[in-house]
Amino acid sequence: GWKDQNVYPDFVAAKGTNNTVNKIFVLETKGDQLIGNIDTLYKQQLFELCNKYAKEIDAGEFFGQEKEIKFELVNQSTWKNRLNSLFNL
C-alpha cells in the first residue's frame, strides 16, 4: 500500500532487439486528479534525481552489460503518447 516517501513503481519495462535488452524503464503512473499533489511532486523530483544518477553509473555492474535506465512518471491522460515516444527513442 501507499506510504509517505516510499516509491513502488507501477511498471518496469524493457526495450531491446534480438533478445537483448538495452533500455529499462521504471514507470510510475498517476491519475490526472493527482497531478500537482505532494506525493506526485515528490516522485517527479525523485525520478529527476534518479535519471541524473542513472547517467553517471555503470549499469553493467548491475545487469552484466551496459543499459540505459530511465525513470518516468506518466500521467493518465497522456500515457499512450508518452509510452510511444519513450519506446521509439
Side-chain angles (χ1 to χ4, degrees):
W2 181 87
K3 291 185 179 178
D4 189 30
Q5 305 298 310
N6 288 348
V7 178
Y8 302 99
D10 296 311
F11 301 98
V12 177
K15 179 182 175 185
T17 57
N18 300 325
N19 295 324
T20 302
V21 173
N22 56 17
K23 290 185 182 181
I24 297 173
F25 300 95
V26 178
L27 305 168
E28 173 75 17
T29 58
K30 287 291 180 185
D32 291 336
Q33 76 279 9
L34 299 173
I35 295 171
N37 78 11
I38 293 171
D39 179 62
T40 302
L41 294 173
Y42 167 74
K43 289 177 181 175
Q44 284 174 326
Q45 292 171 348
L46 178 64
F47 278 17
E48 287 172 12
L49 187 64
C50 288
N51 282 324
K52 175 186 172 193
Y53 286 112
K55 292 176 185 175
E56 297 177 8
I57 65 165
D58 176 9
E61 292 180 32
F62 300 104
F63 302 110
Q65 63 183 8
E66 188 63 31
K67 295 182 185 357
E68 180 182 346
I69 304 170
K70 177 87 171 139
F71 295 81
E72 190 76 26
L73 196 127
V74 181
N75 297 332
Q76 177 183 356
S77 62
T78 61
W79 73 269
K80 286 181 185 178
N81 290 337
R82 188 64 196 130
L83 291 183
N84 281 332
S85 68
L86 283 173
F87 280 89
N88 287 320
L89 293 176

